[in-house]
Amino acid sequence: MDMPNTENDTLDLYGTRVASRFLIGTARYPSPDHLKRAVIRSGAEVVTVSLRRESSGGEKAGHAFWQLVRDLGVKVLPNTAGCHTAREAIKTAQMAREVFGTPWIKLEVIGDDATLQPDPFGLVEAARELTDQGFEVFPYMTDDLVLADRLLEAGCKVLMPWGAPIGSGRGLNNPYALKLLRAHVPGVPLIVDAGLGAPSHAAAAMELGYDGILLNTAVATAGDPPMMAEAFGKAIEAGRLGFLAGIMEQHDVAHASTPVFGAPFSPFSS
């Protein structure tokens, strides 16, 4: 059986193609050096940045961080982390566009403080207005099919459903729902965002046919963030290859891997 051709298997994000399907966050690292080495070893070409977090560090810290990102040569996906209303998210996105010089925005509108679950109504409202303003919106959402349709109608061309609540490390809480969503919007880039704690979680999502993974906490808080970043990068590649190659069908009973025809043969029989 021929291996799938992955030479041109790139991820299309609003017309920008990237070879890596790993989008990595930049918060909570022990040091800037850990962040730098983690991004390099991950192979990621896109990093997410919170405007609020960088602004809160002061002007000097903000310039140092921005210089680090520039030196890495990666694309920046600003996010509206910490926003609880559509108005707040829209204002943050507008400021992020001025600071980072990109129309990309990872849109977060949080509706529940305990789970950090998105507010679907505020999310659609903000997505529609930001799209009208020329933004290219990456909405952080649940795995709800109707919400997916509404966000696509609002102008989103990429969707980012959660695997589990942000920072929980639980992996894929509802693989069935994620599989349904993948089938529901077959031509839309889907990136699992949030809740993954182990490289195997990322591989499982990619084996479902998802197009990419965005995560932060599992790498940033690991004992060795650069090593964990590399582990996730390889797991994402493995899951993608497995999906393209074709995952075997599951069975309820054993299926012999070696076919047996007729009676056993012994080389010592006469």
Side-chain angles (χ1 to χ4, degrees):
M1 180 178 179
D2 294 334
M3 288 291 292
N5 182 5
T6 60
E7 185 176 347
N8 298 314
D9 182 40
T10 55
L11 175 58
D12 187 343
L13 302 174
Y14 286 96
T16 296
R17 291 193 171 273
V18 294
S20 173
R21 293 171 179 272
F22 190 1
L23 292 72
I24 192 167
T26 56
R28 301 186 64 182
Y29 288 84
S31 70
D33 182 63
H34 281 89
L35 167 59
K36 178 181 179 180
R37 291 189 291 119
V39 172
I40 292 172
R41 288 182 65 173
S42 73
E45 298 172 52
V46 178
V47 300
T48 61
V49 177
S50 169
L51 176 65
R52 290 185 168 203
R53 183 177 68 82
E54 296 316 319
S55 298
S56 67
E59 185 175 352
K60 184 177 180 180
H63 283 310
F65 173 82
W66 188 224
Q67 187 60 51
L68 185 155
V69 172
R70 285 176 174 169
D71 290 345
L72 287 170
V74 292
K75 297 173 179 62
V76 175
L77 174 60
N79 67 56
T80 63
C83 293
H84 288 73
T85 68
R87 293 292 101 196
E88 191 179 11
I90 291 167
K91 183 177 180 181
T92 302
Q94 292 168 339
M95 291 189 292
R97 181 162 60 180
E98 292 183 14
V99 172
F100 298 109
T102 176
W104 282 7
I105 192 72
K106 179 191 170 189
L107 180 60
E108 296 183 29
V109 183
I110 301 303
D112 180 75
D113 288 332
T115 62
L116 299 182
Q117 180 170 322
D119 171 2
F121 306 103
L123 190 63
V124 173
E125 178 187 346
R128 183 176 291 113
E129 183 163 337
L130 288 172
T131 298
D132 289 344
Q133 293 181 15
F135 283 88
E136 295 172 346
V137 181
F138 297 67
Y140 163 62
M141 56 176 286
T142 59
D143 48 31
D144 184 88
L145 302 184
V146 177
L147 177 56
D149 287 339
R150 297 295 177 267
L151 288 168
L152 294 175
E153 291 167 4
C156 299
K157 295 182 180 179
V158 177
L159 300 179
M160 305 182 74
W162 67 354
I166 294 173
S168 67
R170 295 182 59 86
L172 305 183
N173 265 2
N174 196 338
Y176 173 72
L178 289 172
K179 188 174 182 179
L180 280 181
L181 179 58
R182 176 69 286 176
H184 187 66
V185 289
V188 177
L190 294 179
I191 298 172
V192 171
D193 175 17
L196 306 188
S200 57
H201 299 158
M206 297 301 291
E207 288 170 2
L208 290 176
Y210 276 72
D211 298 285
I213 301 294
L214 192 157
L215 60 85
N216 186 166
T217 307
V219 169
T221 63
D224 187 328
M227 184 182 294
M228 185 61 77
E230 182 178 350
F232 268 101
K234 290 180 176 179
I236 291 167
E237 291 180 7
R240 178 65 178 175
L241 280 176
F243 170 73
L244 293 176
I247 305 295
M248 69 172 287
E249 182 182 352
Q250 294 184 2
H251 303 281
D252 292 330
V253 296
H255 281 238
S257 59
T258 304
V260 178
F261 300 99
F265 169 77
S266 171
F268 304 106
S269 61
S270 56

